[in-house]
Amino acid sequence: MKIVVCVKQIPDPASPYQLDPESYFVVRPNDQVLDDTDRYGVEVALQLSDELGEDASVTLLSMSPGGSQQGIRQALAMGADGAILIEDETLRGADALTTSQILAAAATRAEADLLIAGTESTDGYTGVVPQQVAEIMGVPALTFARKVEHVDGKLRIERQTQAGYDVVEGALPAVLSVTSGVVEPRYPTFKGIMQAKSKPVETLTAADLGVTAKVSQKIVSVEEVEGRQAGDIIEDDGEGYLRIIEKLEEVKVV
Amino acid sequence: MTFQLNAEHEALRAMVREFADREIVPNAAQWDRDHHFPVDVVHKMGDLGLLGAAFDEEYGGGGGDFLSVCIAIEEIGRADQSMGITLEAAVGLGINPIANFGTSEQKARWLPDLFAGRTLAAFGLTEPGGGSDAAGATRTRAVLDGDEWVINGSKSFITNSGTEITSVITVTAITGDEEISAIIVPAGTPGLIVEPAYEKLGWHASDTHGLVFDDCRVPAENLLGERGRGFHQFLATLDDGRIAVGALSVGLIQACLDLALEYSLEREAFGRPIAANQGLAFQLADLDVALEAARLLTYKAAALKDAGLPIKQAAARAKLYASEAAVSATRVLTQVLGGYGFMEEGPAARFYRDAKILEIGEGTSEILRLVISRGLGLPVV
């Protein structure tokens, strides 16, 4: 089984993000890290691959300025076999649909039996890419998985819902999106880190995939988020709890 | 000259830091209080490849460089010095002599489990009668009786010698006139008595015992490398170890600076953060310089070793400077934290207790100054 995992390189969340003053795009440094939410997808892929043995392979798929490829190497060090990097200046500022077209074309080209992604990226948060990719590829979308099993050539997942979970089954090929917490991502090992540098990373452009990038969105302005307001201090005069309950009802948590 | 670590070193640092932050930092205080040796941390460090990182892939090692080991020790030591010394001693004192001087049979027998973190090895050099004067003070004797060595004597302060997974102890012993050899003694050999764990000032979660050899018999082929080369072997082992203790010290200085920065920006006195006081800020500036200097000395010594160049002076410099800077760093941190620094509820008190031994183990500051003086050509005695 050929498993392809979408991974995104993002600027280190521990350092403050910069916006380009003209395009308002996030300025991407040379060293970007693996989006933390993608580690779950990589782990699910590696576990499935371990289960299936030699017949399975795990390939990473990323559309981003490659830079030092630090984030991709991180995922390779966890144990993925190789990576496909789509690096193309015309894709700068690509919207979710363009991104999905590219990823779908690359996954098809790689003959993926299963495409795995996180539910959304930590820097963009559109949360629509996995479903769009499935639609474009014309394959089932098994989304928001909190548990994944491979049974009789099919995938069976527990799909996280607001109230609990649904059990969903789908035939392969398919697209699978996984929530954070579906599995415990492994640490890369020392050997994994050393081997990552010699694993193949294939670099492609939009043209290689036969996709013409149409950037249909433009950020016209950005505004600072209002700073957090100081909280209310309720002094307990014996009935302070009533006012706390009132507050909780106001914000609808009880 | 760029002074940049390569991408693999940085990836290794990130991996070890995440592991240490998640699996060691939350538990270190409890292990320290309970004097508990967390054997699963050794297993996990083995799984991550930290124990065998710098050794032969033939026996399951990582085929990496010594600098990688130093980075791992630094990052584990930043989280907890007890686990840092556990790793340092496991690699520098436990694995190193067998990997460097062992026969292929000895390597094949012991190294795979040691690299995987399934077992630990220890190195018995120091004796009750002398640490710095290890050669002159060695009283432990090994006599060849037929095809067995019969060992009698005792050893002091031996790290990782009494854990539930300790598999083997390499022991230096007199084997003839002015002749010291190293002999491999498997754990559980009759006549090897592991004394109760020491009550130590610091390193509470690290395993340290005295050992007694009472007509302890091991096969003749347990001789490590060549007969009579014990003195040379342990000097070489200690040179490597000094660089590694330098790395352990660097980790402690980093931990002190991080905590001191965080606290001094939060804590207010007289209506402003205490960090606004030059008297405090300048101490942290000095700490930053000491950290950088200690790290550079340590990495340089490690890089020299990786390049196959002489390291005696560089190793002595790195350990001397880094360990003394680490002791100072814990004093500064405790002072910055004030009363809280004296309380066992935070890590500062533990760091303070853990630091002092860095100036003693694997070469006291005095011995290191002696080594460096002699390296300068001084006729110092």
Side-chain angles (χ1 to χ4, degrees):
Chain A
M1 177 154 69
K2 200 146 188 198
I3 307 170
V4 174
V5 191
C6 293
V7 296
K8 191 165 183 182
Q9 299 193 112
I10 63 171
D12 190 342
S15 56
Y17 279 30
Q18 308 261 321
L19 291 183
D20 182 291
E22 286 181 11
S23 69
Y24 301 124
F25 294 143
V26 173
V27 176
R28 296 192 176 270
N30 192 47
D31 286 337
Q32 298 197 94
V33 300
L34 180 65
D35 187 340
D36 206 51
T37 61
D38 289 334
R39 299 207 293 179
Y40 300 93
V42 174
E43 181 61 38
V44 166
L46 293 172
Q47 287 187 12
L48 282 172
S49 166
D50 289 345
E51 200 183 304
L52 293 164
E54 284 184 5
D55 296 335
S57 68
V58 177
T59 305
L60 308 170
L61 173 58
S62 187
M63 183 186 108
S64 64
S68 66
Q69 301 188 358
Q70 182 190 334
I72 290 169
R73 298 287 168 198
Q74 262 177 281
L76 287 172
M78 287 173 72
D81 300 297
I84 302 164
L85 175 66
I86 296 125
E87 195 176 14
D88 192 327
E89 196 44 42
T90 67
L91 292 171
R92 193 172 152 75
D95 53 24
L97 186 57
T98 308
T99 305
S100 299
Q101 285 168 334
I102 291 283
L103 295 179
T108 304
R109 183 178 179 274
E111 297 172 347
D113 298 302
L114 176 61
L115 181 72
I116 304 179
T119 53
E120 61 185 2
S121 65
T122 302
D123 62 345
Y125 289 112
T126 65
V128 296
V129 169
Q131 297 84 319
Q132 288 182 342
V133 172
E135 187 63 27
I136 295 164
M137 291 175 74
V139 301
L142 294 92
T143 55
F144 298 96
R146 46 164 255 176
K147 191 178 173 201
V148 181
E149 283 176 294
H150 181 247
V151 190
D152 302 329
K154 281 193 237 169
L155 276 193
R156 182 185 295 160
I157 68 157
E158 289 179 10
R159 180 179 202 273
Q160 184 74 52
T161 63
Q162 292 229 320
Y165 65 90
D166 301 330
V167 177
V168 180
E169 263 187 20
L172 296 171
V175 171
L176 168 69
S177 80
V178 296
T179 60
S180 299
V182 60
V183 285
E184 184 66 30
R186 68 192 65 187
Y187 299 103
T189 63
F190 180 74
K191 272 197 174 174
I193 290 167
M194 298 299 283
Q195 285 162 354
K197 64 181 168 188
S198 49
K199 286 181 175 171
V201 178
E202 184 185 15
T203 306
L204 301 174
T205 62
D208 293 333
L209 295 167
V211 178
T212 311
K214 277 185 302 193
V215 177
S216 57
Q217 67 178 16
K218 191 177 170 205
I219 303 167
V220 288
S221 71
V222 293
E223 280 170 40
E224 295 244 354
V225 181
E226 254 181 63
R228 259 171 82 160
Q229 304 293 313
D232 291 336
I233 295 171
I234 296 168
E235 290 200 20
D236 188 20
D237 52 6
E239 300 205 331
Y241 70 95
L242 289 173
R243 298 189 40 216
I244 290 175
I245 292 173
E246 243 171 64
K247 279 273 168 203
L248 293 175
E249 281 174 344
E250 237 176 78
V251 295
K252 297 193 169 106
V253 294
V254 290
Chain B
M1 205 171 195
T2 61
F3 294 105
Q4 289 284 321
L5 294 177
N6 67 33
E8 285 72 38
H9 290 134
E10 290 295 0
L12 172 71
R13 180 191 298 285
M15 177 268 273
V16 180
R17 180 170 291 203
E18 187 186 355
F19 167 74
D21 281 346
R22 281 170 55 174
E23 316 231 0
I24 297 177
V25 169
N27 302 307
Q30 191 65 43
W31 294 336
D32 180 75
R33 268 195 295 280
D34 297 346
H35 295 236
H36 170 69
F37 180 79
V39 74
D40 62 316
V41 171
V42 179
H43 296 321
K44 287 176 184 170
M45 291 195 295
D47 290 342
L48 294 177
L50 306 186
L51 292 158
F55 298 98
D56 228 343
E57 287 176 280
E58 189 183 341
Y59 301 102
D65 56 16
F66 187 67
L67 180 55
S68 296
V69 179
C70 289
I71 290 167
I73 292 169
E74 175 187 331
E75 288 300 329
I76 299 286
R78 175 180 156 274
D80 179 40
Q81 289 281 294
S82 284
M83 289 304 97
I85 188 59
T86 299
L87 174 61
E88 192 280 331
V91 176
L93 302 176
I95 291 171
N96 218 15
I98 298 173
N100 287 337
F101 308 114
T103 62
S104 48
E105 289 79 18
Q106 288 165 346
K107 290 183 197 178
R109 177 167 174 199
W110 302 110
L111 293 182
D113 283 345
L114 292 170
F115 290 164
R118 288 188 287 270
T119 58
L120 279 169
F123 188 56
L125 172 65
T126 296
E127 299 201 359
S132 296
D133 182 20
T138 298
R139 296 285 175 273
T140 298
R141 284 188 170 275
V143 178
L144 206 49
D145 177 26
D147 56 0
E148 285 183 330
W149 291 104
V150 184
I151 309 170
N152 280 288
S154 54
K155 297 287 175 182
S156 302
F157 316 134
I158 309 305
T159 305
N160 292 341
S161 65
T163 75
E164 61 193 274
I165 57 168
T166 300
S167 63
V168 66
I169 302 164
T170 304
V171 188
T172 52
I174 296 169
T175 48
D177 281 350
E178 305 212 348
E179 182 187 277
I180 293 179
S181 304
I183 296 171
I184 296 175
V185 181
T189 303
L192 163 61
I193 298 150
V194 179
E195 297 187 318
Y198 290 101
E199 291 285 335
K200 306 189 291 285
L201 170 67
W203 285 2
H204 287 167
S206 153
D207 177 86
T208 327
H209 299 264
L211 305 173
V212 174
F213 298 88
D214 181 14
D215 280 336
C216 178
R217 287 174 173 268
V218 296
E221 65 261 25
N222 281 25
L223 182 73
L224 180 74
E226 282 174 56
R227 182 169 175 163
R229 296 288 287 165
F231 185 66
H232 159 82
Q233 289 166 350
F234 78 66
L235 285 185
T237 300
L238 287 182
D239 279 343
D240 291 359
R242 283 169 188 167
I243 305 173
V245 174
L248 183 60
S249 306
V250 171
L252 183 54
I253 304 168
Q254 181 75 65
C256 289
L257 180 59
D258 291 348
L259 194 53
L261 285 172
E262 186 188 330
Y263 185 81
S264 65
L265 289 166
E266 274 172 14
R267 174 73 174 184
E268 295 199 350
F270 308 108
R272 58 175 186 259
I274 57 173
N277 300 306
Q278 285 191 355
L280 188 149
F282 288 3
Q283 289 189 66
L284 299 196
D286 289 345
L287 202 50
D288 175 70
V289 176
L291 172 62
E292 189 70 8
R295 187 174 274 139
L296 288 175
L297 284 170
T298 300
Y299 289 4
K300 182 185 171 186
L304 287 173
K305 176 172 165 58
D306 285 327
L309 294 166
I311 58 166
K312 186 169 282 299
Q313 290 287 94
R317 280 187 210 116
K319 195 213 163 219
L320 174 65
Y321 182 80
S323 62
E324 294 193 344
V327 172
S328 298
T330 61
R331 194 183 64 242
V332 170
L333 172 65
T334 306
Q335 193 69 18
V336 167
L337 297 188
Y340 291 115
F342 196 62
M343 297 299 122
E344 288 287 357
E345 66 197 53
R350 186 176 92 241
F351 292 163
Y352 194 92
R353 288 186 283 99
D354 285 343
K356 182 59 204 169
I357 186 64
L358 295 168
E359 294 179 329
I360 300 169
E362 300 192 45
T364 61
S365 288
E366 292 73 19
I367 286 292
L368 298 174
R369 287 193 165 87
L370 190 69
V371 168
I372 296 166
S373 305
R374 285 178 179 161
L376 292 172
L378 302 175
V380 61
V381 290

